[in-house]
Amino acid sequence: MDLSTRYMGLTLKHPIVVSSCPLSDSLAGIKTLEDSGASAVVLHSLFEEQIRRENDAFDFFLESGSDSFAESLNFFPHISDGPKDSDRYLNKIRKAVESTDIPIIGSLNGITNSGWIDYAKLIQDAGAHALELNIYFLPTDISLTAQEIEQRYFEILKAVKKAVTIPVAVKLSPFFSAIGNMAKRLDETGADALVLFNRFYQPDFDLDKLQVDPRSSYSSPDEIRLPLLWIAVLHGQLKASLAASRGVHSPVEVVKYMLAGADTVMVASALMKNGPQFLQVLVDGLEHWLTARDYQSLEEIKGVMSKKNVSDPGAFERINYIKVLESFENPFTAGHY
């Protein structure tokens, strides 16, 4: 069975890629993921706040020692005694690329283009095969317009694409008023791949402490529906590769995403819950589904259920919304009318 796929110019042995998560936080973790069957690994994100914090701390110590006696300057470089988070991140990329035979994809997480350019270059120089821009921006400022928010994405992508030659993916939020148009414009701006969709941090409340609870939660299989819809709609309309993200907890979700038209399927929560070895369960399940239906390769099913290829494209639009509502049965009146 040929499970190979192409993702933003990279040839992968199968479509299941490990998304940015704590499992790729160490070199040992990355090797374990490869040994468990990952076709590629997106490293955990380097955050803009980390870079700023390190730079601010360095500037503080530099300035605080500028008027001291010469002898005290021996104590100045405390912040550089050990590697910074950003330096450790780059070193991890170098070692991962040297130690594995799968594509290593760097990840930058931020909200502005300041600092992104330099670190995008450094990630490329460290040997990363590609870069994912995880643009985490929650517009809580109600004075910001949709146009201003969207423009920020384009400016970051343009700046990074100008700075590097490796492929660049954009991990998108689902909270745009016109997802299709946003995807189209990012494609035209030069995105090599779109990852649909980002899972933004959504806080809860601790009722005992009356504090904001920052804990996150794993995804659930139900979360597949939104990215499944938009991958099916976008398939065949963009140059950029499409990566499915959210809700992958069994081979069923992998197959559905491929039928919609995804080039790769990102997985994290299922591995956090079941361990890296669960990768092989997903790969074997995909192969079994294809074999049972006499397919010879993954390419034969890619996009078969996309809006472009289904016999009834209206199934993805408003006409089907009415059918969905009609399909609900009131449990209190069923059988009585």
Side-chain angles (χ1 to χ4, degrees), residues 12-319:
L12 308 183
K13 60 185 178 182
H14 60 71
I16 302 167
V17 174
V18 178
S19 188
S20 175
C21 67
L23 292 174
S24 61
D25 193 33
S26 67
L27 180 61
I30 296 168
K31 287 183 176 180
T32 299
L33 292 170
E34 180 188 31
D35 293 341
S36 299
S39 65
V41 172
V42 181
L43 297 191
H44 65 100
S45 291
L46 178 62
F47 285 80
E48 180 178 345
E49 289 84 350
Q50 288 175 295
I51 300 170
R52 286 184 174 183
R53 186 173 62 245
E54 291 170 351
N55 291 340
D56 290 345
F58 187 86
D59 290 342
F60 170 78
F61 283 111
L62 181 64
E63 292 172 2
S64 63
S66 60
D67 296 323
S68 304
F69 292 106
E71 291 83 354
S72 69
L73 295 182
N74 294 328
F75 298 95
F76 156 66
H78 285 313
I79 193 168
S80 60
D81 283 347
K84 298 186 293 185
D85 287 343
S86 51
D87 291 337
R88 282 194 292 268
Y89 189 85
L90 296 171
N91 193 43
K92 193 180 306 173
I93 292 176
R94 294 187 191 96
K95 290 182 177 179
V97 171
E98 293 170 358
S99 307
T100 64
D101 295 317
I102 57 175
I104 301 297
I105 302 172
S107 176
L108 279 175
N109 189 315
I111 59 174
T112 70
N113 58 1
S114 61
W116 282 54
I117 299 173
D118 290 339
Y119 276 89
K121 288 179 181 177
L122 290 171
I123 286 174
Q124 174 177 268
D125 293 343
H129 298 90
L131 174 63
E132 182 178 283
L133 301 181
N134 191 341
I135 307 174
Y136 182 103
F137 177 61
L138 197 62
T140 54
D141 181 353
I142 62 174
S143 66
L144 285 174
T145 67
Q147 184 178 9
E148 290 173 316
I149 294 165
E150 292 175 1
Q151 190 59 34
R152 185 169 297 186
Y153 280 73
F154 300 128
E155 289 175 356
I156 291 172
L157 177 59
K158 285 179 183 177
V160 172
K161 283 292 293 183
K162 189 175 180 180
V164 300
T165 57
I166 57 175
V168 177
V170 177
K171 196 166 188 177
L172 264 183
S173 156
F175 304 126
F176 292 100
S177 57
I179 289 289
N181 183 259
M182 187 68 181
K184 176 177 178 289
R185 288 191 289 159
L186 285 169
D187 182 47
E188 292 169 348
T189 303
D192 297 286
L194 299 177
V195 183
L196 310 179
F197 288 108
N198 207 338
R199 291 184 79 234
F200 280 166
Y201 159 63
Q202 296 172 324
D204 198 356
F205 288 167
D206 185 321
L207 296 182
D208 293 323
K209 298 179 181 179
L210 292 183
Q211 294 178 347
V212 175
D213 186 348
R215 289 176 296 178
S216 186
S217 60
Y218 294 136
S219 69
S220 68
D222 286 341
E223 292 184 42
I224 187 178
R225 296 196 176 196
L226 185 60
L228 189 72
L229 165 65
W230 282 106
I231 288 171
V233 169
L234 294 172
H235 174 73
Q237 300 198 65
L238 307 175
K239 294 179 182 177
S241 299
L242 294 174
S245 180
R246 286 195 183 190
V248 178
H249 288 267
S250 75
V252 170
E253 290 81 47
V254 176
V255 172
K256 287 182 178 180
Y257 273 138
M258 300 312 300
L259 288 169
D263 296 293
T264 57
V265 175
M266 301 284 183
V267 59
S269 289
L271 305 183
M272 297 289 289
K273 290 175 66 176
N274 303 301
Q277 67 276 5
F278 192 70
L279 280 162
Q280 199 58 53
V281 174
L282 297 176
V283 175
D284 291 345
L286 172 62
E287 184 169 3
H288 175 75
W289 190 92
L290 291 166
T291 301
R293 290 156 181 80
D294 295 325
Y295 289 109
Q296 302 300 313
S297 71
L298 183 68
E299 286 298 319
E300 292 181 56
I301 70 163
K302 194 181 292 185
V304 167
M305 296 290 292
S306 67
K307 182 183 177 184
K308 177 183 177 181
N309 292 325
V310 294
S311 57
D312 178 20
F316 292 101
E317 299 171 354
R318 181 176 174 82
I319 187 172

Side-chain angles (χ1 to χ4, degrees), residues 332-337:
F332 299 105
T333 60
H336 297 289
Y337 297 96

